[in-house]
Amino acid sequence: MPKPSIFSKDYDEKMRKRKRNRRIAVLIVLIVAVIAIVIASFSSKIGVNVKLGMNKIKGIVITRMNKDSTDKTNKDSNNNSKVKNEETGNNSENKNSDAVVQKEEVKKEETGEYTVKLPNGEEIKLKYSAINNEKNYIEVTPKTIVYDISPSKKQVVVLENGTQNLILFDINGTLNDISKKEYMSSKGTVFSKDSIIKTNTSFIWCALPKFINEDNIIYQSQLPWFNKGSIKYIWKYTISSKVHEHNLNGGLGEVFGADIKYGKLYSDGLEVIIDGNVKIVK
């Protein structure tokens, strides 16, 4: 606005109006400035917030993408592991199945027999079971044969009918005649088994053989006497030394009686019941 002339009749009025307008203009400028400052400050804050918000959103998106990627990787890994586990499981099941089959095969028991002829001409069968070619005797036939199987089931002792011969078989069916063929009295007189049995058919030279361990067999005999009727003695044959004896160890000496029965076999010997009295024969 131009400055009014001092010669104007309303000079004072115009000057007051001019000053008022100037004050209004200054006030407007100040208001505009304040508004501008406020708007600039607000805009700056909004921009920062927007930037932070965008960064936050970006971070969330990236995190989510990473998580999805990780989940996918883990899922693929789990699937692979599951497949491997299933394969391993199947292999394990197959192996276990094979192991069971093999175990069954290992435990498969077969039976066999040796057909042998005794010295008297009688034919018998030595029956055995076999696991992995490991043989164990189980029975001897016919039923008329008196026999005993050793504790390890690797030996059989057989009493031959008629001759009273004592025959030992190993696990391969090899025959060994372990009979006491003769007896020498304290006076030096020799008595032959065959001649004594032939003369007295009821005489008991050897009866009821029984293993007490892998190296010793006991049996009953009327030896060393020929005239004591029903009295029988316990004799022992030692396989390793090939010795027959009736004076037994363990302080037993001569063990004899009219009624002799065998009891339980213990680790320290065989229980023998003689006329009702129990003794342990080693």
Side-chain angles (χ1 to χ4, degrees):
M1 177 181 287
K3 186 177 181 182
S5 174
I6 60 176
F7 298 107
S8 175
K9 63 177 182 178
D10 54 354
Y11 172 79
D12 292 332
E13 181 66 27
K14 289 181 178 180
M15 286 299 293
R16 284 195 296 273
K17 186 176 181 181
R18 189 171 183 268
K19 290 179 181 179
R20 187 172 57 253
N21 289 340
R22 186 179 294 175
R23 286 196 298 270
I24 292 173
V26 171
L27 182 59
I28 291 172
V29 170
L30 290 174
I31 292 172
V32 170
V34 170
I35 292 172
I37 292 171
V38 171
I39 291 173
S41 176
F42 185 69
S43 297
S44 176
K45 187 174 181 180
I46 290 175
V48 172
N49 290 336
V50 169
K51 185 176 181 181
L52 290 174
M54 291 300 293
N55 288 337
K56 185 174 181 180
I57 293 170
K58 182 178 180 181
I60 292 171
V61 171
I62 292 172
T63 300
R64 182 61 182 175
M65 290 176 66
N66 290 337
K67 185 176 184 302
D68 291 343
S69 178
T70 301
D71 290 344
K72 186 177 183 301
T73 301
N74 291 336
K75 184 177 181 181
D76 293 340
S77 177
N78 290 335
N79 289 335
N80 291 333
S81 297
K82 183 177 180 181
V83 171
K84 289 181 180 179
N85 288 336
E86 289 177 352
E87 292 176 351
T88 303
N90 291 334
N91 291 335
S92 178
E93 288 176 1
N94 292 334
K95 290 180 180 179
N96 290 337
S97 178
D98 292 341
V100 170
V101 172
Q102 291 176 1
K103 191 173 182 180
E104 289 177 352
E105 289 176 353
V106 168
K107 286 189 173 183
K108 186 177 180 181
E109 184 174 325
E110 298 178 349
T111 58
E113 61 183 33
Y114 301 119
T115 300
V116 296
K117 187 171 287 188
L118 298 175
N120 67 353
E122 184 179 4
E123 190 174 88
I124 65 171
K125 295 182 185 298
L126 309 175
K127 297 185 178 182
Y128 59 83
S129 65
I131 299 176
N132 291 338
N133 295 321
E134 184 72 21
K135 297 176 182 177
N136 292 312
Y137 281 120
I138 55 176
E139 186 184 15
V140 177
T141 59
K143 300 294 186 182
T144 54
I145 288 291
V146 176
Y147 71 93
D148 189 49
I149 298 174
S150 71
S152 70
K153 303 186 185 303
K154 304 299 182 185
Q155 301 182 92
V156 171
V157 62
V158 171
L159 182 66
E160 192 175 58
N161 289 325
T163 66
Q164 297 187 44
N165 284 328
L166 202 58
I167 310 298
L168 180 68
F169 293 93
D170 65 16
I171 195 60
N172 298 313
T174 303
L175 180 152
N176 184 19
D177 189 341
I178 60 173
S179 306
K180 184 174 179 62
K181 298 295 185 178
E182 57 186 24
Y183 172 73
M184 181 181 290
S185 70
S186 58
K187 295 180 180 180
T189 306
V190 176
F191 299 90
S192 167
K193 174 179 70 68
D194 291 341
S195 63
I196 292 295
I197 292 174
K198 185 177 182 180
T199 303
N200 183 1
T201 56
S202 63
F203 186 81
I204 299 174
W205 187 278
C206 179
L208 299 175
K210 178 73 175 177
F211 281 97
I212 58 176
N213 51 51
E214 293 303 309
D215 195 39
N216 292 284
I217 300 168
I218 63 169
Y219 60 92
Q220 299 178 30
S221 175
Q222 288 179 310
L223 292 174
W225 303 100
F226 299 101
N227 56 359
K228 286 203 173 181
S230 62
I231 299 299
K232 297 180 290 293
Y233 289 76
I234 293 292
W235 282 71
K236 182 174 73 172
Y237 175 74
T238 301
I239 298 171
S240 58
S241 64
K242 299 180 181 180
V243 173
H244 293 262
E245 57 185 338
H246 71 285
N247 281 299
L248 305 180
N249 57 9
L252 292 177
E254 290 185 334
V255 177
F256 58 91
D259 181 30
I260 302 176
K261 296 177 182 178
Y262 302 142
K264 295 181 179 179
L265 180 61
Y266 299 102
S267 59
D268 61 342
L270 176 68
E271 180 183 66
V272 179
I273 301 95
I274 300 176
D275 296 333
N277 299 312
V278 178
K279 296 182 181 293
I280 301 296
V281 179
K282 301 180 181 180

